[in-house]
Amino acid sequence: MDKKGKIALLFTTRNCYQLFDNIFFKNTTQDFSNCHIFNIDMNSNKEQKDLAEKVFEKYNITNLPTDSEDKNIYSIQRDIELCNQHIDENDLDIDWILWCSHDGRLKSEDFLEQLQSKIDDNPRFNNEVGIIGFCDYGNIEEGKPCYGRGDLLEGLPETGKGWYQNLPEEYKKSEYFIVEGAHDNYVLVNRHLYKEHIVPDYNFILFTVWDEISAQFNLKNIASITIPSLEVVDLYREKSNFGLSRSLHADKSTHMDSWKDQKYVKWWIEKYKYPRGFSSYTPDKFPYDDSIYKNSIQEKLFNWHVDDGPKTLDDLREHS
């Protein structure tokens, strides 16, 4: 059967194939029969690659060919490039790539249908939105919703500490709203705008990589948004049952970034000139003199306040 879904899933995997069976597919009730599912292996060991073959067959996953000598394969930005390349070469009718964590679930049995309906009802998303995120439960605290990541929106550093959390009720009831960056467990990327506007920066591997992609889009006034009615659940607390640690504490057996050495913090500050999350940073002035931010979404966010309520694409255009 030809797959008609315009949203494809992408997993980027290193030595954690047991999580497909034991967390993601076990807990997700979505029917994926009409959806392409891609995987990129990041140099897993032989035992894991043997397990991977069983996973691919069971769940009808296409494992994309890679060059094991490609030193950038560990960066999600490189992996999106490779996925885009495969889609183009095979002339697949896919517009959006949903990057997925292995240790969580899509909460609704018709998550993808609801998501596609939102895109169909808002055709501007195809040309004006680069990233779509969702309401994520369990990442900060079990049962607590989080809607994105950011520091620039006035009032957010005090209430969210780098996250879109503890928001006024009107955010939760909105159809969608502008965020500085999407929550990074499940992220939908507009593959056409990605190809056109993103210059891959392989310094960003896992941590803050989606912040960096959103930041590039924001500089070009292409929005990142959250759809709060679409929910995902972070189940990282279950990973230890299958011999794995949370990404923050894992060694390089499951990914090639390091939370401890925080090189991504250095790269971020060098490139964007202000601290990004994981701190008590509270901006009291626009934190850079660089003219690249003039009329950008970053500048607009800085001049809004969290108590102003959810902002839409129309609000961005009013301030252009």
Side-chain angles (χ1 to χ4, degrees):
M1 183 182 73
D2 290 338
K3 297 178 184 293
K4 303 297 185 183
K6 292 182 178 294
I7 298 170
L9 273 63
L10 172 64
F11 291 90
T12 54
T13 311
R14 179 173 168 83
N15 296 324
C16 60
Y17 283 99
Q18 61 267 48
L19 299 185
F20 283 88
D21 256 340
N22 292 302
I23 295 187
F24 181 80
F25 285 106
K26 177 182 178 181
N27 294 285
T28 298
T29 56
Q30 169 76 51
D31 178 4
F32 294 108
S33 60
N34 200 34
C35 171
H36 287 274
I37 306 177
F38 301 121
N39 180 76
I40 290 179
D41 182 82
M42 300 183 293
N43 288 330
S44 295
N45 62 39
K46 183 182 184 306
E47 180 181 0
Q48 280 284 314
K49 285 183 176 179
D50 290 343
L51 175 59
E53 292 303 319
K54 299 176 182 177
V55 169
F56 301 152
E57 182 177 3
K58 182 175 182 179
Y59 297 110
N60 195 19
I61 296 172
T62 302
N63 190 45
L64 303 185
T66 58
D67 179 358
S68 62
E69 299 301 318
D70 183 350
K71 64 181 180 180
N72 298 316
I73 194 68
Y74 306 107
S75 169
I76 288 172
Q77 298 204 26
R78 176 62 176 147
D79 298 335
I80 296 171
E81 280 185 289
L82 293 172
C83 188
N84 254 334
Q85 179 180 322
H86 175 84
I87 292 169
D88 288 340
E89 289 176 350
N90 290 275
D91 197 25
L92 301 176
D93 187 17
I94 294 169
D95 294 328
W96 299 81
I97 298 170
L98 178 62
W99 182 85
C100 296
S101 295
H102 309 79
D103 54 349
R105 70 182 179 95
L106 309 180
K107 198 172 181 183
S108 170
E109 65 182 14
D110 60 347
F111 184 97
L112 294 179
E113 289 80 6
Q114 289 187 55
L115 178 53
Q116 186 62 60
S117 179
K118 293 284 187 184
I119 295 169
D120 292 342
D121 291 344
N122 296 274
R124 293 172 64 185
F125 289 0
N126 292 300
N127 298 312
E128 300 180 42
V129 172
I131 294 290
I132 298 177
F134 314 103
C135 173
D136 189 294
Y137 280 93
N139 179 257
I140 308 300
E141 299 174 22
E142 285 193 82
K144 181 177 181 178
C146 185
Y147 300 91
R149 293 159 56 85
D151 298 284
L152 296 177
L153 182 65
E154 188 177 353
L156 190 63
E158 294 86 354
T159 62
K161 295 182 171 58
W163 302 88
Y164 280 75
Q165 58 177 337
N166 307 314
L167 297 176
E169 193 67 23
E170 57 192 309
Y171 283 86
K172 305 171 190 178
K173 297 178 180 179
S174 64
E175 183 177 17
Y176 74 90
F177 56 88
I178 305 294
V179 292
E180 185 179 339
H183 198 295
D184 57 353
N185 281 328
Y186 295 89
V187 185
L188 188 72
V189 60
N190 184 324
R191 78 175 199 89
H192 303 295
L193 294 183
Y194 188 93
K195 288 194 301 179
E196 184 177 353
H197 295 287
I198 298 301
V199 178
D201 187 337
Y202 306 128
N203 289 317
F204 297 90
I205 299 172
L206 175 65
F207 301 119
T208 70
V209 67
W210 288 108
D211 300 332
E212 203 281 322
I213 294 170
S214 286
Q216 287 200 48
F217 275 133
N218 288 341
L219 287 173
K220 299 184 178 182
N221 275 291
I222 298 169
S224 295
I225 66 171
T226 289
I227 300 176
S229 62
L230 290 175
E231 300 173 339
V232 299
V233 181
D234 192 336
L235 299 173
Y236 75 84
R237 295 166 184 84
E238 297 184 14
K239 290 175 76 171
S240 61
N241 297 331
F242 310 105
L244 298 172
S245 300
R246 188 183 184 187
S247 296
L248 299 184
H249 311 303
D251 59 22
K252 292 186 177 180
S253 63
T254 54
H255 60 77
M256 294 296 285
D257 209 354
S258 171
W259 175 262
K260 293 179 181 178
D261 67 30
Q262 297 202 336
K263 288 181 180 178
Y264 54 89
V265 174
K266 169 180 174 287
W267 295 123
W268 179 274
I269 292 175
E270 285 184 0
K271 188 169 186 177
Y272 292 107
K273 315 303 182 189
Y274 68 95
R276 167 62 212 106
F278 317 115
S279 71
S280 57
Y281 170 65
T282 303
D284 56 2
K285 63 179 181 178
F286 206 44
Y288 24 69
D289 298 321
D290 199 318
S291 62
I292 65 168
Y293 289 101
K294 186 174 179 59
N295 297 322
S296 66
I297 290 178
Q298 285 96 333
E299 187 177 47
K300 297 177 178 71
L301 284 164
F302 186 81
N303 288 294
W304 290 337
H305 193 286
V306 66
D307 290 339
D308 294 339
K311 298 292 187 179
T312 68
L313 295 174
D314 288 335
D315 293 298
L316 288 180
R317 303 307 161 238
E318 286 176 6
H319 293 83
S320 295

